[in-house]
Amino acid sequence: SNVLSTDIPDDIERQQAIAVSMSLGLVLDGSNGDLKVSGHSSAEAAVLLQIHGKNELPSKVIPKWYIFVSLLWEPMPVMIWIAIAIEAALGKWMDMSILLAIQIANASIAYYETTKSGDAVAALKASLRPEATVKRDGIWKSIDASLLVPGDLVLLSTGAAVPADCTVCEGTLEIDQSSLTGESIPISVFKGELCKMGSTVARGEVEGLVMSTGANTFFGRTASLLQNDGELSNLQNILMDIMIVLVVISLTLCAVVYLHLAHITSVV
């Protein structure tokens, strides 16, 4: 089979490539430290797939009923529930019905907006599942990009999405990284440099060595930082502080009015 070699541009990248290659069982040329790649066999790829997992970002699916219910237990809806309970205790059924309708309407609108955006993102992810041209068992074949593993040899050609973080083995590419960095102009990627998952090949055709996949890619690590870990955002904290202040002020005014009325009653 053909053996490719890629120069490592500097010591840091060379050490990273050597570490990755050793973990993958690839071959290093002792004379100049070049990385020689011939691709995986199907058996090797199957083993590595079990170790590294699929080349896709982990996604957390939240049941839609839970989304709707959670919208009814946010700070402001809780205040409305308290008002509904008070109106019911006082027997003011009309006011209670109006507040209940407002509560359901607000939750329904928020639910529609939330699920609409979530469904759009899910549809976009489904439509963007690319295929990759990879060398397996010494033969070039087209497979689902989610089945790529570190150490695979892939073909990067004009118009194709970069399926994983890949090092260019030979030649030069122009890569559109606008989805990652916002740069509108494609950048040139030379032999030994990294093409990031999520970018698109604007011009050129080269072979690339897959260095990392899925959550271990640059795109995956960035996405993991943006995942909601349950903590409140700064805006949510500010709104919570405002609500607490308003509740304290309201309770204070109610207490003052009650004590004033009690004093007047006792005097009379």
PDB file of all heavy atoms in Angstrom, residues 155-193:
ATOM      1  N   LEU A 155      -9.944  11.669   2.562  1.00  0.00           N
ATOM      2  CA  LEU A 155      -9.734  12.522   1.403  1.00  0.00           C
ATOM      3  C   LEU A 155     -10.503  13.819   1.610  1.00  0.00           C
ATOM      4  O   LEU A 155     -11.718  13.803   1.832  1.00  0.00           O
ATOM      5  CB  LEU A 155     -10.216  11.820   0.133  1.00  0.00           C
ATOM      6  CG  LEU A 155      -9.968  12.565  -1.191  1.00  0.00           C
ATOM      7  CD1 LEU A 155      -8.466  12.696  -1.446  1.00  0.00           C
ATOM      8  CD2 LEU A 155     -10.648  11.827  -2.341  1.00  0.00           C
ATOM      9  N   LEU A 156      -9.796  14.946   1.561  1.00  0.00           N
ATOM     10  CA  LEU A 156     -10.407  16.263   1.704  1.00  0.00           C
ATOM     11  C   LEU A 156     -10.392  16.933   0.340  1.00  0.00           C
ATOM     12  O   LEU A 156      -9.333  17.207  -0.215  1.00  0.00           O
ATOM     13  CB  LEU A 156      -9.624  17.104   2.723  1.00  0.00           C
ATOM     14  CG  LEU A 156      -9.431  16.478   4.110  1.00  0.00           C
ATOM     15  CD1 LEU A 156      -8.534  17.353   4.967  1.00  0.00           C
ATOM     16  CD2 LEU A 156     -10.777  16.254   4.793  1.00  0.00           C
ATOM     17  N   SER A 157     -11.593  17.208  -0.194  1.00  0.00           N
ATOM     18  CA  SER A 157     -11.694  17.781  -1.540  1.00  0.00           C
ATOM     19  C   SER A 157     -12.621  18.982  -1.532  1.00  0.00           C
ATOM     20  O   SER A 157     -13.384  19.210  -0.576  1.00  0.00           O
ATOM     21  CB  SER A 157     -12.193  16.733  -2.536  1.00  0.00           C
ATOM     22  OG  SER A 157     -13.435  16.204  -2.113  1.00  0.00           O
ATOM     23  N   THR A 158     -12.573  19.757  -2.599  1.00  0.00           N
ATOM     24  CA  THR A 158     -13.334  20.997  -2.713  1.00  0.00           C
ATOM     25  C   THR A 158     -14.819  20.763  -2.464  1.00  0.00           C
ATOM     26  O   THR A 158     -15.437  19.866  -3.029  1.00  0.00           O
ATOM     27  CB  THR A 158     -13.145  21.604  -4.109  1.00  0.00           C
ATOM     28  OG1 THR A 158     -11.755  21.827  -4.334  1.00  0.00           O
ATOM     29  CG2 THR A 158     -13.895  22.912  -4.236  1.00  0.00           C
ATOM     30  N   GLY A 159     -15.395  21.596  -1.589  1.00  0.00           N
ATOM     31  CA  GLY A 159     -16.816  21.532  -1.287  1.00  0.00           C
ATOM     32  C   GLY A 159     -17.178  20.577  -0.178  1.00  0.00           C
ATOM     33  O   GLY A 159     -18.314  20.600   0.302  1.00  0.00           O
ATOM     34  N   ALA A 160     -16.249  19.740   0.240  1.00  0.00           N
ATOM     35  CA  ALA A 160     -16.552  18.753   1.275  1.00  0.00           C
ATOM     36  C   ALA A 160     -16.368  19.356   2.666  1.00  0.00           C
ATOM     37  O   ALA A 160     -15.530  20.236   2.876  1.00  0.00           O
ATOM     38  CB  ALA A 160     -15.658  17.527   1.115  1.00  0.00           C
ATOM     39  N   ALA A 161     -17.174  18.879   3.607  1.00  0.00           N
ATOM     40  CA  ALA A 161     -17.010  19.285   4.997  1.00  0.00           C
ATOM     41  C   ALA A 161     -15.865  18.493   5.611  1.00  0.00           C
ATOM     42  O   ALA A 161     -15.698  17.305   5.326  1.00  0.00           O
ATOM     43  CB  ALA A 161     -18.297  19.040   5.774  1.00  0.00           C
ATOM     44  N   VAL A 162     -15.062  19.150   6.423  1.00  0.00           N
ATOM     45  CA  VAL A 162     -13.990  18.448   7.133  1.00  0.00           C
ATOM     46  C   VAL A 162     -14.638  17.595   8.217  1.00  0.00           C
ATOM     47  O   VAL A 162     -15.266  18.134   9.142  1.00  0.00           O
ATOM     48  CB  VAL A 162     -12.988  19.445   7.742  1.00  0.00           C
ATOM     49  CG1 VAL A 162     -11.900  18.707   8.520  1.00  0.00           C
ATOM     50  CG2 VAL A 162     -12.373  20.312   6.652  1.00  0.00           C
ATOM     51  N   PRO A 163     -14.549  16.263   8.143  1.00  0.00           N
ATOM     52  CA  PRO A 163     -15.339  15.395   9.015  1.00  0.00           C
ATOM     53  C   PRO A 163     -14.800  15.250  10.435  1.00  0.00           C
ATOM     54  O   PRO A 163     -15.504  14.780  11.317  1.00  0.00           O
ATOM     55  CB  PRO A 163     -15.295  14.052   8.287  1.00  0.00           C
ATOM     56  CG  PRO A 163     -13.983  14.067   7.569  1.00  0.00           C
ATOM     57  CD  PRO A 163     -13.761  15.491   7.157  1.00  0.00           C
ATOM     58  N   ALA A 164     -13.540  15.640  10.650  1.00  0.00           N
ATOM     59  CA  ALA A 164     -12.928  15.538  11.975  1.00  0.00           C
ATOM     60  C   ALA A 164     -11.700  16.448  11.963  1.00  0.00           C
ATOM     61  O   ALA A 164     -11.368  17.039  10.932  1.00  0.00           O
ATOM     62  CB  ALA A 164     -12.543  14.097  12.281  1.00  0.00           C
ATOM     63  N   ASP A 165     -11.041  16.586  13.102  1.00  0.00           N
ATOM     64  CA  ASP A 165      -9.789  17.340  13.121  1.00  0.00           C
ATOM     65  C   ASP A 165      -8.728  16.521  12.398  1.00  0.00           C
ATOM     66  O   ASP A 165      -8.369  15.423  12.854  1.00  0.00           O
ATOM     67  CB  ASP A 165      -9.355  17.621  14.562  1.00  0.00           C
ATOM     68  CG  ASP A 165     -10.158  18.739  15.203  1.00  0.00           C
ATOM     69  OD1 ASP A 165     -11.048  19.285  14.518  1.00  0.00           O
ATOM     70  OD2 ASP A 165      -9.905  19.062  16.380  1.00  0.00           O
ATOM     71  N   CYS A 166      -8.226  17.053  11.280  1.00  0.00           N
ATOM     72  CA  CYS A 166      -7.312  16.297  10.422  1.00  0.00           C
ATOM     73  C   CYS A 166      -6.035  17.085  10.168  1.00  0.00           C
ATOM     74  O   CYS A 166      -6.072  18.306   9.981  1.00  0.00           O
ATOM     75  CB  CYS A 166      -7.961  15.981   9.070  1.00  0.00           C
ATOM     76  SG  CYS A 166      -9.526  15.102   9.180  1.00  0.00           S
ATOM     77  N   THR A 167      -4.925  16.384  10.131  1.00  0.00           N
ATOM     78  CA  THR A 167      -3.655  16.965   9.725  1.00  0.00           C
ATOM     79  C   THR A 167      -3.439  16.712   8.235  1.00  0.00           C
ATOM     80  O   THR A 167      -3.624  15.590   7.765  1.00  0.00           O
ATOM     81  CB  THR A 167      -2.488  16.356  10.524  1.00  0.00           C
ATOM     82  OG1 THR A 167      -2.656  16.663  11.906  1.00  0.00           O
ATOM     83  CG2 THR A 167      -1.156  16.929  10.058  1.00  0.00           C
ATOM     84  N   VAL A 168      -3.073  17.767   7.499  1.00  0.00           N
ATOM     85  CA  VAL A 168      -2.834  17.634   6.060  1.00  0.00           C
ATOM     86  C   VAL A 168      -1.558  16.825   5.840  1.00  0.00           C
ATOM     87  O   VAL A 168      -0.499  17.146   6.384  1.00  0.00           O
ATOM     88  CB  VAL A 168      -2.708  19.019   5.395  1.00  0.00           C
ATOM     89  CG1 VAL A 168      -2.337  18.880   3.925  1.00  0.00           C
ATOM     90  CG2 VAL A 168      -4.015  19.787   5.552  1.00  0.00           C
ATOM     91  N   CYS A 169      -1.658  15.767   5.044  1.00  0.00           N
ATOM     92  CA  CYS A 169      -0.493  14.907   4.806  1.00  0.00           C
ATOM     93  C   CYS A 169       0.422  15.483   3.731  1.00  0.00           C
ATOM     94  O   CYS A 169       1.642  15.493   3.888  1.00  0.00           O
ATOM     95  CB  CYS A 169      -0.969  13.506   4.388  1.00  0.00           C
ATOM     96  SG  CYS A 169      -1.853  12.624   5.692  1.00  0.00           S
ATOM     97  N   GLU A 170      -0.153  15.927   2.628  1.00  0.00           N
ATOM     98  CA  GLU A 170       0.628  16.496   1.531  1.00  0.00           C
ATOM     99  C   GLU A 170      -0.169  17.606   0.878  1.00  0.00           C
ATOM    100  O   GLU A 170      -1.406  17.566   0.863  1.00  0.00           O
ATOM    101  CB  GLU A 170       0.951  15.429   0.471  1.00  0.00           C
ATOM    102  CG  GLU A 170       1.885  14.327   0.927  1.00  0.00           C
ATOM    103  CD  GLU A 170       3.327  14.790   1.044  1.00  0.00           C
ATOM    104  OE1 GLU A 170       3.641  15.893   0.554  1.00  0.00           O
ATOM    105  OE2 GLU A 170       4.141  14.046   1.624  1.00  0.00           O
ATOM    106  N   GLY A 171       0.524  18.610   0.354  1.00  0.00           N
ATOM    107  CA  GLY A 171      -0.141  19.640  -0.427  1.00  0.00           C
ATOM    108  C   GLY A 171      -0.691  20.775   0.415  1.00  0.00           C
ATOM    109  O   GLY A 171      -0.338  20.957   1.585  1.00  0.00           O
ATOM    110  N   THR A 172      -1.592  21.552  -0.206  1.00  0.00           N
ATOM    111  CA  THR A 172      -2.156  22.748   0.414  1.00  0.00           C
ATOM    112  C   THR A 172      -3.660  22.789   0.171  1.00  0.00           C
ATOM    113  O   THR A 172      -4.131  22.420  -0.904  1.00  0.00           O
ATOM    114  CB  THR A 172      -1.509  24.022  -0.159  1.00  0.00           C
ATOM    115  OG1 THR A 172      -0.092  23.939   0.003  1.00  0.00           O
ATOM    116  CG2 THR A 172      -2.022  25.265   0.551  1.00  0.00           C
ATOM    117  N   LEU A 173      -4.392  23.270   1.156  1.00  0.00           N
ATOM    118  CA  LEU A 173      -5.838  23.447   1.056  1.00  0.00           C
ATOM    119  C   LEU A 173      -6.212  24.872   1.393  1.00  0.00           C
ATOM    120  O   LEU A 173      -5.494  25.558   2.125  1.00  0.00           O
ATOM    121  CB  LEU A 173      -6.566  22.524   2.039  1.00  0.00           C
ATOM    122  CG  LEU A 173      -6.821  21.061   1.680  1.00  0.00           C
ATOM    123  CD1 LEU A 173      -7.556  20.400   2.831  1.00  0.00           C
ATOM    124  CD2 LEU A 173      -7.609  20.937   0.404  1.00  0.00           C
ATOM    125  N   GLU A 174      -7.348  25.314   0.872  1.00  0.00           N
ATOM    126  CA  GLU A 174      -7.969  26.536   1.354  1.00  0.00           C
ATOM    127  C   GLU A 174      -9.230  26.126   2.102  1.00  0.00           C
ATOM    128  O   GLU A 174     -10.093  25.438   1.555  1.00  0.00           O
ATOM    129  CB  GLU A 174      -8.305  27.487   0.199  1.00  0.00           C
ATOM    130  CG  GLU A 174      -7.079  28.151  -0.414  1.00  0.00           C
ATOM    131  CD  GLU A 174      -7.442  29.253  -1.385  1.00  0.00           C
ATOM    132  OE1 GLU A 174      -8.636  29.587  -1.486  1.00  0.00           O
ATOM    133  OE2 GLU A 174      -6.528  29.769  -2.043  1.00  0.00           O
ATOM    134  N   ILE A 175      -9.305  26.542   3.372  1.00  0.00           N
ATOM    135  CA  ILE A 175     -10.366  26.097   4.267  1.00  0.00           C
ATOM    136  C   ILE A 175     -11.243  27.280   4.669  1.00  0.00           C
ATOM    137  O   ILE A 175     -10.744  28.333   5.063  1.00  0.00           O
ATOM    138  CB  ILE A 175      -9.781  25.442   5.529  1.00  0.00           C
ATOM    139  CG1 ILE A 175      -8.994  24.189   5.169  1.00  0.00           C
ATOM    140  CG2 ILE A 175     -10.876  25.096   6.514  1.00  0.00           C
ATOM    141  CD1 ILE A 175      -9.836  23.073   4.611  1.00  0.00           C
ATOM    142  N   ASP A 176     -12.552  27.088   4.577  1.00  0.00           N
ATOM    143  CA  ASP A 176     -13.521  28.077   5.049  1.00  0.00           C
ATOM    144  C   ASP A 176     -13.880  27.745   6.496  1.00  0.00           C
ATOM    145  O   ASP A 176     -14.544  26.745   6.766  1.00  0.00           O
ATOM    146  CB  ASP A 176     -14.764  28.047   4.157  1.00  0.00           C
ATOM    147  CG  ASP A 176     -15.824  29.047   4.609  1.00  0.00           C
ATOM    148  OD1 ASP A 176     -15.556  29.830   5.544  1.00  0.00           O
ATOM    149  OD2 ASP A 176     -16.925  29.047   4.015  1.00  0.00           O
ATOM    150  N   GLN A 177     -13.415  28.583   7.418  1.00  0.00           N
ATOM    151  CA  GLN A 177     -13.672  28.365   8.845  1.00  0.00           C
ATOM    152  C   GLN A 177     -14.675  29.358   9.404  1.00  0.00           C
ATOM    153  O   GLN A 177     -14.694  29.617  10.614  1.00  0.00           O
ATOM    154  CB  GLN A 177     -12.368  28.460   9.637  1.00  0.00           C
ATOM    155  CG  GLN A 177     -11.348  27.389   9.306  1.00  0.00           C
ATOM    156  CD  GLN A 177     -10.174  27.391  10.251  1.00  0.00           C
ATOM    157  OE1 GLN A 177      -9.707  26.357  10.716  1.00  0.00           O
ATOM    158  NE2 GLN A 177      -9.655  28.571  10.546  1.00  0.00           N
ATOM    159  N   SER A 178     -15.512  29.934   8.532  1.00  0.00           N
ATOM    160  CA  SER A 178     -16.430  30.979   8.974  1.00  0.00           C
ATOM    161  C   SER A 178     -17.388  30.482  10.059  1.00  0.00           C
ATOM    162  O   SER A 178     -17.772  31.242  10.958  1.00  0.00           O
ATOM    163  CB  SER A 178     -17.230  31.517   7.784  1.00  0.00           C
ATOM    164  OG  SER A 178     -17.929  30.482   7.129  1.00  0.00           O
ATOM    165  N   SER A 179     -17.774  29.219  10.002  1.00  0.00           N
ATOM    166  CA  SER A 179     -18.694  28.686  11.007  1.00  0.00           C
ATOM    167  C   SER A 179     -18.033  28.534  12.373  1.00  0.00           C
ATOM    168  O   SER A 179     -18.720  28.456  13.394  1.00  0.00           O
ATOM    169  CB  SER A 179     -19.240  27.323  10.558  1.00  0.00           C
ATOM    170  OG  SER A 179     -18.179  26.394  10.386  1.00  0.00           O
ATOM    171  N   LEU A 180     -16.694  28.513  12.399  1.00  0.00           N
ATOM    172  CA  LEU A 180     -15.967  28.352  13.653  1.00  0.00           C
ATOM    173  C   LEU A 180     -15.429  29.663  14.182  1.00  0.00           C
ATOM    174  O   LEU A 180     -15.505  29.946  15.381  1.00  0.00           O
ATOM    175  CB  LEU A 180     -14.799  27.374  13.468  1.00  0.00           C
ATOM    176  CG  LEU A 180     -15.147  25.945  13.050  1.00  0.00           C
ATOM    177  CD1 LEU A 180     -13.874  25.149  12.831  1.00  0.00           C
ATOM    178  CD2 LEU A 180     -16.014  25.276  14.098  1.00  0.00           C
ATOM    179  N   THR A 181     -14.857  30.463  13.295  1.00  0.00           N
ATOM    180  CA  THR A 181     -14.167  31.679  13.720  1.00  0.00           C
ATOM    181  C   THR A 181     -14.833  32.962  13.260  1.00  0.00           C
ATOM    182  O   THR A 181     -14.495  34.041  13.754  1.00  0.00           O
ATOM    183  CB  THR A 181     -12.723  31.677  13.191  1.00  0.00           C
ATOM    184  OG1 THR A 181     -12.751  31.699  11.747  1.00  0.00           O
ATOM    185  CG2 THR A 181     -11.984  30.433  13.653  1.00  0.00           C
ATOM    186  N   GLY A 182     -15.758  32.873  12.294  1.00  0.00           N
ATOM    187  CA  GLY A 182     -16.394  34.068  11.768  1.00  0.00           C
ATOM    188  C   GLY A 182     -15.608  34.739  10.649  1.00  0.00           C
ATOM    189  O   GLY A 182     -16.058  35.738  10.092  1.00  0.00           O
ATOM    190  N   GLU A 183     -14.429  34.180  10.315  1.00  0.00           N
ATOM    191  CA  GLU A 183     -13.638  34.749   9.227  1.00  0.00           C
ATOM    192  C   GLU A 183     -14.332  34.496   7.889  1.00  0.00           C
ATOM    193  O   GLU A 183     -14.720  33.376   7.579  1.00  0.00           O
ATOM    194  CB  GLU A 183     -12.243  34.114   9.193  1.00  0.00           C
ATOM    195  CG  GLU A 183     -11.395  34.402  10.410  1.00  0.00           C
ATOM    196  CD  GLU A 183     -10.046  33.701  10.340  1.00  0.00           C
ATOM    197  OE1 GLU A 183      -9.977  32.550  10.768  1.00  0.00           O
ATOM    198  OE2 GLU A 183      -9.081  34.314   9.849  1.00  0.00           O
ATOM    199  N   SER A 184     -14.485  35.549   7.114  1.00  0.00           N
ATOM    200  CA  SER A 184     -15.193  35.417   5.840  1.00  0.00           C
ATOM    201  C   SER A 184     -14.283  34.938   4.715  1.00  0.00           C
ATOM    202  O   SER A 184     -14.756  34.456   3.695  1.00  0.00           O
ATOM    203  CB  SER A 184     -15.815  36.761   5.448  1.00  0.00           C
ATOM    204  OG  SER A 184     -14.811  37.764   5.346  1.00  0.00           O
ATOM    205  N   ILE A 185     -12.973  35.082   4.896  1.00  0.00           N
ATOM    206  CA  ILE A 185     -12.015  34.710   3.851  1.00  0.00           C
ATOM    207  C   ILE A 185     -11.394  33.353   4.187  1.00  0.00           C
ATOM    208  O   ILE A 185     -10.933  33.134   5.309  1.00  0.00           O
ATOM    209  CB  ILE A 185     -10.903  35.774   3.729  1.00  0.00           C
ATOM    210  CG1 ILE A 185     -11.512  37.130   3.392  1.00  0.00           C
ATOM    211  CG2 ILE A 185      -9.890  35.366   2.664  1.00  0.00           C
ATOM    212  CD1 ILE A 185     -10.500  38.259   3.352  1.00  0.00           C
ATOM    213  N   PRO A 186     -11.379  32.410   3.236  1.00  0.00           N
ATOM    214  CA  PRO A 186     -10.747  31.115   3.491  1.00  0.00           C
ATOM    215  C   PRO A 186      -9.271  31.269   3.828  1.00  0.00           C
ATOM    216  O   PRO A 186      -8.597  32.190   3.341  1.00  0.00           O
ATOM    217  CB  PRO A 186     -10.942  30.357   2.171  1.00  0.00           C
ATOM    218  CG  PRO A 186     -12.104  31.021   1.514  1.00  0.00           C
ATOM    219  CD  PRO A 186     -12.012  32.472   1.899  1.00  0.00           C
ATOM    220  N   ILE A 187      -8.762  30.379   4.648  1.00  0.00           N
ATOM    221  CA  ILE A 187      -7.353  30.407   5.013  1.00  0.00           C
ATOM    222  C   ILE A 187      -6.641  29.233   4.349  1.00  0.00           C
ATOM    223  O   ILE A 187      -7.254  28.215   4.032  1.00  0.00           O
ATOM    224  CB  ILE A 187      -7.162  30.337   6.544  1.00  0.00           C
ATOM    225  CG1 ILE A 187      -7.674  28.995   7.084  1.00  0.00           C
ATOM    226  CG2 ILE A 187      -7.866  31.482   7.232  1.00  0.00           C
ATOM    227  CD1 ILE A 187      -7.298  28.736   8.528  1.00  0.00           C
ATOM    228  N   SER A 188      -5.356  29.388   4.143  1.00  0.00           N
ATOM    229  CA  SER A 188      -4.553  28.324   3.545  1.00  0.00           C
ATOM    230  C   SER A 188      -4.018  27.418   4.648  1.00  0.00           C
ATOM    231  O   SER A 188      -3.518  27.891   5.666  1.00  0.00           O
ATOM    232  CB  SER A 188      -3.389  28.922   2.742  1.00  0.00           C
ATOM    233  OG  SER A 188      -3.875  29.681   1.655  1.00  0.00           O
ATOM    234  N   VAL A 189      -4.147  26.129   4.428  1.00  0.00           N
ATOM    235  CA  VAL A 189      -3.643  25.129   5.370  1.00  0.00           C
ATOM    236  C   VAL A 189      -2.598  24.295   4.647  1.00  0.00           C
ATOM    237  O   VAL A 189      -2.876  23.711   3.596  1.00  0.00           O
ATOM    238  CB  VAL A 189      -4.779  24.229   5.890  1.00  0.00           C
ATOM    239  CG1 VAL A 189      -4.232  23.208   6.871  1.00  0.00           C
ATOM    240  CG2 VAL A 189      -5.865  25.066   6.536  1.00  0.00           C
ATOM    241  N   PHE A 190      -1.394  24.265   5.212  1.00  0.00           N
ATOM    242  CA  PHE A 190      -0.274  23.603   4.550  1.00  0.00           C
ATOM    243  C   PHE A 190      -0.006  22.229   5.161  1.00  0.00           C
ATOM    244  O   PHE A 190      -0.626  21.836   6.155  1.00  0.00           O
ATOM    245  CB  PHE A 190       0.977  24.484   4.634  1.00  0.00           C
ATOM    246  CG  PHE A 190       0.792  25.841   4.031  1.00  0.00           C
ATOM    247  CD1 PHE A 190       0.472  26.940   4.818  1.00  0.00           C
ATOM    248  CD2 PHE A 190       0.917  26.028   2.653  1.00  0.00           C
ATOM    249  CE1 PHE A 190       0.302  28.186   4.254  1.00  0.00           C
ATOM    250  CE2 PHE A 190       0.740  27.275   2.081  1.00  0.00           C
ATOM    251  CZ  PHE A 190       0.428  28.356   2.885  1.00  0.00           C
ATOM    252  N   LYS A 191       0.930  21.537   4.550  1.00  0.00           N
ATOM    253  CA  LYS A 191       1.317  20.200   4.988  1.00  0.00           C
ATOM    254  C   LYS A 191       1.693  20.218   6.469  1.00  0.00           C
ATOM    255  O   LYS A 191       2.494  21.034   6.923  1.00  0.00           O
ATOM    256  CB  LYS A 191       2.504  19.732   4.148  1.00  0.00           C
ATOM    257  CG  LYS A 191       3.055  18.366   4.541  1.00  0.00           C
ATOM    258  CD  LYS A 191       4.236  18.023   3.650  1.00  0.00           C
ATOM    259  CE  LYS A 191       4.865  16.700   4.043  1.00  0.00           C
ATOM    260  NZ  LYS A 191       6.026  16.365   3.187  1.00  0.00           N
ATOM    261  N   GLY A 192       1.078  19.317   7.246  1.00  0.00           N
ATOM    262  CA  GLY A 192       1.365  19.220   8.673  1.00  0.00           C
ATOM    263  C   GLY A 192       0.482  20.079   9.549  1.00  0.00           C
ATOM    264  O   GLY A 192       0.524  19.942  10.770  1.00  0.00           O
ATOM    265  N   GLU A 193      -0.345  20.957   8.955  1.00  0.00           N
ATOM    266  CA  GLU A 193      -1.214  21.812   9.747  1.00  0.00           C
ATOM    267  C   GLU A 193      -2.593  21.165   9.901  1.00  0.00           C
ATOM    268  O   GLU A 193      -2.946  20.225   9.196  1.00  0.00           O
ATOM    269  CB  GLU A 193      -1.328  23.196   9.105  1.00  0.00           C
ATOM    270  CG  GLU A 193      -0.023  23.956   9.106  1.00  0.00           C
ATOM    271  CD  GLU A 193      -0.161  25.349   8.536  1.00  0.00           C
ATOM    272  OE1 GLU A 193      -1.177  25.629   7.844  1.00  0.00           O
ATOM    273  OE2 GLU A 193       0.759  26.165   8.755  1.00  0.00           O
TER     274      GLU A 193
END
